[in-house]
Amino acid sequence: KYLLKEIARGFSTYANIAEIPVAGGEIYFDETYEGNPLVNAMTVGVVKLDKLSKARASGIGNLVLTIGGPTGRDGVEGAAFASAGITEEAEQKKSAVAIGDPKMGKILREACLELIDKELIVGMQDMGAAGLICSTCETAYKAGTGIEIDISKVPRKEEGMSAYEVLLSESQERMLAIVDKSKLESVKNVLDKWEVPFAVIGKVTDDGMVRVKDGDKLEAEVPAKALAEGPVYTREEKKPAYLAEVNKLDLSSVPQPKDMNDVLLKLLANPTIASKEWVFKKGDPKLGKTIPVGPGTDAGVMAVPGSKKGVAATTDCNGSYVYLDPFFGSAIAVAESARNLVCAGAKPLAITDGINFGNPKNPEIYWQFHQAALGISEACKKLNTPVVSGNVSFNNENPKGSVDPTPVIGMVGVIEDAGKAITQSFKAAGDVILLVGETHEEIGGSQYLQTIHDQKKGPLPKLDLDLEKRVQDTVLEAIQKGLVASAHDCSEGGLAVALAECCITDAKDQLGAEVLLDGAKIRPDALLFGETQSRIIISAKPANAAEIEKLCRKNKVPVSRLGTVGKESLKIEGLIDLKLSEMDRAWRESIPRALA
């Protein structure tokens, strides 16, 4: 409880002060993260192609500047700290965690954008992992040049810092900029206007070396290439022994619940599935003017200034899936991300990934990592969503062992008209509910199996990437033709949870549904709560529903009519009969109640 509250407070405080609206997000709960919670953040922006600034130290003799906050001991060895297990020794290195300054972050951002807009910058890179030494060597390497800096000129928060501390500090809100001498005065004017500090600390050289001085004393001299390229490791790998046991699942040994209503309510109250409003509402609502579709549905949508277009964004990764099958679990994370964007009416474009694993020197962990990389690659190729950026975090350990492998996928897409974005809530009584895709008898890895039967095991639901692509393309085409009123993908909790979310997500305008499922060949719990992939629930006017069915047949995509929207309950004939108020209470109040 404490960790969740503090994480939410940290991100919301920074985002609100730095004026960054919250567009979406996801939270998964599992005991594997106890003692070492993973926090992955994605910020999305829009850039004009003719205003790109590249991280290159070009132009021999050009000046090297630090822009932004001073350098301190907070954040020294931050990357090294993050790459070690949580041990008593690590606990003592609290200075490794950098302290953010959102007010400086805001004005630094605005000042840098103005510098770029006025073409006053040759190159620029933020000081992230490994701070000053990383940004200098990388910018020099990319430009094929060298850099010489004098760290005595680097503004500092405290006295007595060693050269090592100045170079390795990851103090926040700092940029490295390369500036032509002739433009220095203009750069100064912009930075003074925004009250952003800066210092000239060095120059670009032609010898390919990163040379560090402290006044007249030479502290370090290393080829930029040696630091920027780094070694390539091919470590020993071994398929984990635990998989032989956890991938076994005898369905006949899993008893059928007698009360499916009770199961659905328990799943809706499961924190992984439950509403995350408690977190989202910590974002300042006044910042949401550029967010036509905010958090709480499949994907957030941001308006593009000066255009009708919108950028949709989502983040996904089911760590339990990747624990059970690193290859397909990772591929499913990509597929679900793309599916979420499609449900908003966006064409998926590209991904960034946040790869979180245990100690890579462990052959079983390295095998997981390798398989996950292959799974992400395979899915991205099939769905045409290239990996444009990302990061890898290893050694995510706690006293009980490694965290579940968690390769978080952040994906963005484009909507031609942001005002026509689709959300998951049912829109009108009498609309037809369709399922694009089909359901199979699969409960392995499901939240149902974990929540109701306390088993994290089984083979994952199968993923056919060719079918996935056809389903996504078909639904996107139907949305672009104006045939779809709502769309929601089936993921954690299966079909029943997805239908319930379509009914209750909109707190003001809730609509029920009457549904009949064809489950003659599938056991009821798998029919309701199994997590078969490549399924999207859509609602549409009756005439439009017929057009959608034609489109599905043309594209060789399975489709079935589930029922109609209306009334004040969710009825799945013979299986579920719950009032919207009951489901809403279980889903919306779960996390606040747990934290009270």
Side-chain angles (χ1 to χ4, degrees):
K1 293 180 184 180
Y2 173 81
L3 289 173
L4 178 59
K5 287 181 177 179
E6 286 299 286
I7 290 168
R9 186 168 72 92
F11 102 79
S12 61
T13 299
Y14 193 100
N16 291 342
I17 295 175
E19 299 183 12
I20 303 171
V22 179
E26 190 55 274
I27 308 173
Y28 285 80
F29 294 84
D30 192 280
E31 64 181 6
T32 185
Y33 306 120
E34 186 177 342
N36 196 349
L38 303 176
V39 182
N40 292 258
M42 177 175 75
T43 306
V44 177
V46 177
V47 61
K48 294 181 179 179
L49 291 178
D50 62 351
K51 295 294 184 180
L52 282 172
S53 174
K54 297 185 177 181
R56 294 178 180 172
S58 303
I60 308 306
N62 281 338
L63 303 176
V64 179
L65 279 63
T66 61
I67 300 176
T71 298
R73 288 192 174 93
D74 61 307
V76 172
E77 289 190 336
F81 172 83
S83 297
I86 300 299
T87 63
E88 290 184 8
E89 181 183 357
E91 284 283 332
Q92 296 170 5
K93 290 189 175 182
K94 293 181 180 178
S95 66
V97 180
I99 307 301
D101 180 351
K103 290 182 179 179
M104 175 58 71
K106 166 66 176 171
I107 60 175
L108 174 63
R109 188 170 81 233
E110 298 297 343
C112 288
L113 288 173
E114 183 172 339
L115 290 173
I116 293 168
D117 186 63
K118 292 182 174 179
E119 299 182 352
L120 299 176
I121 294 294
V122 175
M124 181 180 287
Q125 178 166 322
D126 76 303
M127 293 191 213
L132 181 57
I133 191 61
C134 182
S135 57
T136 50
C137 73
E138 286 186 347
T139 52
Y141 170 72
K142 291 172 185 173
T145 60
I147 279 184
E148 180 178 303
I149 60 172
D150 181 354
I151 58 171
S152 69
K153 297 178 180 179
V154 175
R156 307 182 190 188
K157 296 181 183 180
E158 48 199 305
E159 296 180 358
M161 291 181 68
S162 67
Y164 179 89
E165 290 172 325
V166 174
L167 291 172
L168 270 294
S169 172
E170 294 173 18
S171 293
Q172 298 295 288
E173 288 78 46
R174 297 180 304 156
M175 303 289 280
L176 187 84
I178 311 301
V179 174
D180 187 296
K181 290 179 182 179
S182 65
K183 296 184 179 180
L184 181 60
E185 190 62 30
S186 298
V187 169
K188 181 181 183 301
N189 291 338
V190 171
L191 296 175
D192 286 347
K193 183 187 88 171
W194 289 100
E195 298 183 346
V196 174
F198 79 98
V200 178
I201 65 166
K203 62 183 179 181
V204 178
T205 62
D206 62 358
D207 59 5
M209 304 294 288
V210 173
R211 191 171 293 105
V212 179
K213 291 184 176 181
D214 189 351
D216 294 330
K217 181 183 177 184
L218 180 64
E219 292 282 0
E221 191 174 47
V222 184
K225 180 178 180 180
L227 293 176
E229 285 192 349
V232 176
Y233 295 102
T234 303
R235 296 194 178 277
E236 178 187 355
E237 57 182 279
K238 176 184 176 184
K239 186 174 182 178
Y242 74 82
L243 289 175
E245 179 60 32
V246 299
N247 285 160
K248 294 177 182 176
L249 181 63
D250 180 3
L251 284 181
S252 64
S253 69
V254 181
Q256 287 276 359
K258 294 180 180 179
D259 186 346
M260 296 299 185
N261 286 331
D262 181 63
V263 173
L264 178 54
L265 290 174
K266 285 180 177 176
L267 285 173
L268 289 171
N270 180 320
T272 291
I273 293 173
S275 169
K276 309 305 186 299
E277 284 181 1
W278 180 86
V279 180
F280 296 147
K281 285 185 175 180
K282 293 186 178 300
D284 187 344
K286 296 192 294 293
L287 301 175
K289 295 177 182 178
T290 59
I291 309 290
V293 178
T297 190
D298 286 300
V301 178
M302 295 137 280
V304 176
S307 169
K308 290 176 62 178
K309 291 184 178 182
V311 174
T314 187
T315 54
D316 281 291
C317 181
N318 185 329
S320 295
Y321 275 11
V322 188
Y323 166 79
L324 294 171
D325 189 327
F327 181 92
F328 279 106
S330 300
I332 285 172
V334 176
E336 186 182 346
S337 295
R339 210 181 307 137
N340 284 339
L341 295 181
V342 165
C343 287
K347 177 179 175 58
L349 292 182
I351 80 164
T352 183
D353 50 28
I355 309 293
N356 307 276
F357 282 80
N359 183 352
K361 294 180 181 178
N362 179 333
E364 294 188 347
I365 300 295
Y366 192 80
W367 184 89
Q368 290 177 332
F369 169 67
H370 188 187
Q371 291 298 308
L374 293 174
I376 292 170
S377 176
E378 180 70 16
C380 285
K381 288 175 183 175
K382 284 284 187 179
L383 301 178
N384 194 27
T385 53
V387 183
V388 297
S389 64
N391 70 287
V392 179
S393 173
F394 281 125
N395 295 294
N396 292 289
E397 313 274 344
N398 59 51
K400 295 181 181 179
S402 299
V403 299
D404 279 354
T406 311
V408 176
I409 303 300
M411 187 179 289
V412 295
V414 65
I415 301 178
E416 292 303 315
D417 188 342
K420 295 181 180 179
I422 301 294
T423 62
Q424 65 193 37
S425 300
F426 290 141
K427 298 300 185 294
D431 281 357
V432 175
I433 304 169
L434 299 170
L435 176 65
V436 181
E438 59 186 345
T439 303
H440 301 290
E441 193 170 73
E442 300 170 309
I443 63 172
S446 66
Q447 283 295 318
Y448 160 71
L449 194 63
Q450 293 183 55
T451 303
I452 305 302
H453 300 287
D454 196 26
Q455 297 184 63
K456 186 160 75 174
K457 64 185 305 183
L460 294 188
K462 291 181 174 58
L463 176 65
D464 180 339
L465 286 167
D466 290 321
L467 174 62
E468 179 73 46
K469 186 71 166 67
R470 295 201 306 275
V471 166
Q472 292 186 18
D473 288 348
T474 300
V475 171
L476 184 57
E477 184 178 350
I479 290 173
Q480 291 173 340
K481 288 182 175 179
L483 302 175
V484 176
S486 72
H488 185 28
D489 82 307
C490 293
S491 55
E492 286 80 21
L495 190 57
V497 164
L499 285 166
E501 289 171 338
C502 292
C503 294
I504 62 177
T505 296
D506 189 333
K508 294 181 180 179
D509 298 309
Q510 297 185 342
L511 290 166
E514 293 193 1
V515 172
L516 175 62
L517 300 179
D518 180 11
K521 298 178 181 179
I522 301 175
R523 48 185 281 165
D525 58 351
L527 182 66
L528 291 171
F529 311 116
E531 296 174 6
T532 297
Q533 297 298 297
S534 309
R535 295 182 298 168
I536 296 176
I537 296 170
I538 58 179
S539 65
K541 298 296 181 188
N544 290 340
E547 289 298 311
I548 293 169
E549 288 171 322
K550 288 180 185 178
L551 189 60
C552 289
R553 288 193 292 270
K554 182 191 78 171
N555 294 340
K556 298 181 181 179
V557 169
V559 63
S560 56
R561 293 200 178 202
L562 300 184
T564 55
V565 175
K567 299 187 178 180
E568 297 180 351
S569 62
L570 171 62
K571 291 185 178 181
I572 302 177
E573 189 171 318
L575 297 169
I576 298 287
D577 189 350
L578 285 170
K579 293 186 179 298
L580 299 185
S581 58
E582 293 178 88
M583 297 190 299
D584 183 271
R585 187 162 52 250
W587 181 74
R588 205 175 299 277
E589 297 179 6
S590 175
I591 290 178
R593 188 165 54 242
L595 293 173

